[in-house]
Amino acid sequence: MQLTVWTYEGPPHVGAMRVATAMQGLRYVLHAPQGDTYADLLFTMIERRQKRPPVTYTTFQARDLGGDTAELMKTAVKEAFERFRPQAMIVGASCTGELIQDDPGGLARALALPVPVIPLELPSYSKKENWGAAETFYQLVRALAGPQAPAPGSVTPRDPSRPAGERPSCNLLGPTALGFRHRDDVAEVTRLLERCGVAVKVVAPLGATPADIARLGEADFNVPLYPEVAASAAQWLKRAFGQPATTTVPLGYGATRRFVEEVAALCGFDPALLLAGEPSRLPWYSRSIDSTYLTGKRVFVFGDATHALAVARVAQEEMAFTLVGLGSYSREGAREVRQAAQEAGLEALITDDYLAVEAAIAEAQPELVLGTQMERHVAKRLGIPCAVISAPVHVQDYPARYSPLMGFEGANVLFDTLVHPLTMGLEEHLLGMFRDDFEFNDTAGPSHLGAGHTPPAERSAPEQPGSLPWSTDAEAELRKIPFFVRGKARRNTERYAAEQGVATITVETLYDAKAHFGR
């Protein structure tokens, strides 16, 4: 465990809270000190939920540590059941409560409540939030769907044939509370599956009850939308019920088409007609003349494994950007991220230290950063355009409007997300470039960006360790270069100066370097 100002993931009990808060008819009893109730704010303030999470805390205090904290846990479980009458309960301990070793699961079972009580063993000092969400969902699926599973050894692959008029069905697995665009992704993928003629039986955990979890085995196949949360549960359902699962996450235009083709193969229909009528505007833009000025733009991608992999693929294959950095804080998905980075000729950045990510961005000098809210802060300090494509996110990334990332409409949203920071950055550059013109200067009145706005050309990015000093005149001349090639100009000039043994870069050095590399 590391003390830090920012963190990409909370402790695993926050992941368990995300699952419990997403569901209905489930109560989570958490053995935790009074201060751990801060986690409620993540849902009520950041996600703007209308009610608090369904979590009961024991809220023991320092004076309770000399007494019977186990009795506090038993009392909390009993009172939570009597007050809320849930269909099922999960019990566990926070990182602080784990140190007391009171065995919440054993204490809850001793009460012999008339509903399923699922104990959670979440090692807070070795695992993180996404793992906690995945483990909680897995344990719920095993405990609630397990009794309906066929006897071991009798499970056979699902027969794709079905009676005339009966539609194939699936479950959507993985969306949780506090998930990045999960609500809208579920709506978009459900519509897409409806167009494919596939019925969605259960969405879980988001909006599901324990009774819904118990009938997961009735569907023909599963769709793990977010592998960080759903992969282990989907694997167990395949072993226990013989349900196949899709492997493509429909993030991006190409991935959505592959997802439809995968569903078609599972259900036995021809996807050609459906794919011919897809509504995405991204292919049109990629073929248009307007897209050419963005071709080859250098992008740095960082986030959870699912979104980082998908957005990196969209940036390269669908937007013709150049990937200069790829990483993730999700160690569970590190293998896939490393493989994708290797295919792009890069070394993947697998870390949960935002300072290491900041250093990597500064070194790569991209023209666009696609990351979490932490990368948004970093990019702003470095004067680089940025868009948020992954959790953790801030309240502004939970829009009231419909804004999915998955499916064909999600491809449109991704297109806007990737393009707008660059086009707005170009506009700001033009405002800065012409600010000294007699018809467009400070005396002519403020721009639409407001009085006091400082264009990127006027911002001073922090000097990187080991970089050569620049004269004031050279820095001013460099700022006249459009922002989307300025990083390359700086790198080439410093490389040339180092080769020539120049101590301080001047305007002459800048133009000598331009002539040298322009040959």
Side-chain angles (χ1 to χ4, degrees):
M1 182 172 284
Q2 177 182 352
L3 293 177
T4 182
V5 176
W6 288 334
T7 180
Y8 289 100
E9 295 183 87
H13 75 264
V14 172
M17 287 182 66
R18 287 174 52 193
V19 172
T21 304
M23 292 182 61
Q24 303 175 25
L26 180 72
R27 195 73 193 176
Y28 183 19
V29 180
L30 186 63
H31 201 25
Q34 193 170 22
D36 278 2
T37 56
Y38 78 90
D40 282 9
L41 299 178
L42 296 172
F43 302 90
T44 56
M45 291 183 65
I46 295 180
E47 197 178 15
R48 297 188 283 201
R49 285 191 165 257
Q50 297 178 354
K51 56 184 179 181
R52 294 181 61 186
V55 181
T56 297
Y57 301 89
T58 57
T59 57
F60 59 82
Q61 301 179 48
R63 64 173 179 267
D64 298 318
L65 297 179
D68 191 354
T69 53
E71 192 61 33
L72 285 175
M73 181 66 192
K74 291 171 65 176
T75 301
V77 173
K78 184 178 179 181
E79 291 180 350
F81 172 75
E82 292 174 350
R83 178 181 178 185
F84 299 103
R85 294 291 171 175
Q87 297 179 24
M89 302 180 74
I90 53 178
V91 295
S94 70
C95 45
T96 310
E98 183 183 340
L99 299 174
I100 303 176
Q101 299 183 339
D102 275 337
D103 186 19
L107 295 171
R109 280 194 298 267
L111 296 173
L113 297 176
V115 295
V117 178
I118 298 103
L120 300 178
E121 296 290 340
L122 305 178
S124 300
Y125 297 94
S126 59
K127 299 294 184 180
K128 294 290 184 71
E129 179 181 325
N130 279 336
W131 185 92
E135 177 67 10
T136 301
F137 186 47
Y138 169 73
Q139 293 296 343
L140 280 167
V141 171
R142 284 200 61 173
L144 300 173
Q148 285 72 45
S154 63
V155 178
T156 57
R158 292 295 177 101
D159 185 356
S161 63
R162 57 187 56 83
E166 180 180 325
R167 294 195 298 168
S169 62
C170 70
N171 302 311
L172 301 185
L173 305 180
T176 68
L178 208 65
F180 184 46
R181 309 288 173 84
H182 286 196
R183 176 199 64 187
D184 295 345
D185 284 349
V186 167
E188 183 65 22
V189 174
T190 299
R191 292 175 186 174
L192 180 61
L193 289 166
E194 286 290 337
R195 291 177 59 201
C196 294
V198 178
V200 175
K201 274 194 174 294
V202 175
V203 177
L206 188 65
T209 65
D212 292 329
I213 300 291
R215 61 188 185 92
L216 284 174
E218 299 174 5
D220 295 312
F221 64 97
N222 291 308
V223 177
L225 289 181
Y226 308 98
E228 284 90 351
V229 176
S232 54
Q235 291 167 5
W236 182 85
L237 288 166
K238 183 176 182 179
R239 295 193 302 269
F241 292 94
Q243 291 173 309
T246 57
T247 58
T248 303
V249 177
L251 261 166
Y253 174 76
T256 300
R257 292 180 65 90
R258 290 191 292 272
F259 173 77
V260 171
E261 292 167 352
E262 190 174 0
V263 170
L266 288 171
C267 300
F269 69 87
D270 185 357
L273 184 62
L274 187 148
L275 292 175
E278 52 78 17
S280 177
R281 301 186 66 189
L282 190 146
W284 163 83
Y285 177 80
S286 296
R287 294 190 296 267
S288 73
I289 191 65
D290 292 339
S291 70
T292 55
Y293 86 97
L294 295 178
T295 300
K297 292 294 170 279
R298 297 162 53 85
V299 296
F300 189 104
V301 180
F302 190 88
D304 67 56
T306 294
H307 288 87
L309 287 168
V311 171
R313 183 177 60 249
V314 169
Q316 293 180 99
E317 299 177 5
E318 300 175 18
M319 302 298 296
F321 292 165
T322 299
L323 192 65
V324 297
L326 175 61
S328 175
Y329 57 82
S330 303
R331 296 191 180 276
E332 292 81 8
R335 178 179 299 177
E336 293 81 0
V337 175
R338 287 194 175 99
Q339 181 179 348
Q342 185 177 12
E343 291 172 357
L346 303 169
E347 182 178 352
L349 178 64
I350 309 298
T351 181
D352 58 1
D353 183 352
Y354 68 90
L355 294 175
V357 180
E358 179 175 0
I361 292 173
E363 182 179 358
Q365 296 188 18
E367 292 153 284
L368 175 66
V369 175
L370 303 170
T372 73
Q373 68 160 329
M374 265 94 90
E375 282 67 55
R376 175 162 52 197
H377 292 306
V378 167
K380 183 176 182 180
R381 197 172 75 83
L382 296 175
I384 304 171
C386 178
V388 173
I389 51 87
S390 166
V393 295
H394 204 1
V395 62
Q396 70 190 77
D397 299 303
Y398 289 100
R401 68 185 183 279
Y402 183 63
S403 186
L405 289 183
M406 292 189 179
F408 289 122
E409 182 59 28
N412 291 333
V413 173
L414 267 179
F415 158 70
D416 289 340
T417 300
L418 271 61
V419 169
H420 287 175
L422 289 171
T423 55
M424 290 304 295
L426 176 61
E427 181 177 325
E428 289 193 39
H429 169 72
L430 293 174
L431 291 173
M433 187 169 66
F434 290 106
R435 66 178 299 158
D436 294 326
D437 190 279
F438 73 95
E439 292 182 344
F440 192 84
N441 55 41
D442 292 338
T443 62
S447 75
H448 74 288
L449 296 173
H453 174 77
T454 304
E458 300 300 317
R459 298 177 192 145
S460 57
E463 187 174 331
Q464 302 305 318
S467 62
L468 290 172
W470 286 61
S471 69
T472 304
D473 291 344
E475 283 281 7
E477 193 69 17
L478 180 68
R479 286 197 292 268
K480 295 179 181 178
I481 299 173
F483 77 97
F484 43 83
V485 291
R486 192 181 303 147
K488 183 177 181 180
R490 178 183 288 274
R491 288 192 302 275
N492 284 347
T493 303
E494 292 183 351
R495 175 181 164 191
Y496 174 80
E499 291 174 352
Q500 300 298 318
V502 175
T504 300
I505 296 174
T506 63
V507 174
E508 290 73 19
T509 312
L510 179 61
Y511 281 99
D512 288 345
K514 179 183 178 182
H516 174 78
F517 288 104
R519 289 180 303 184

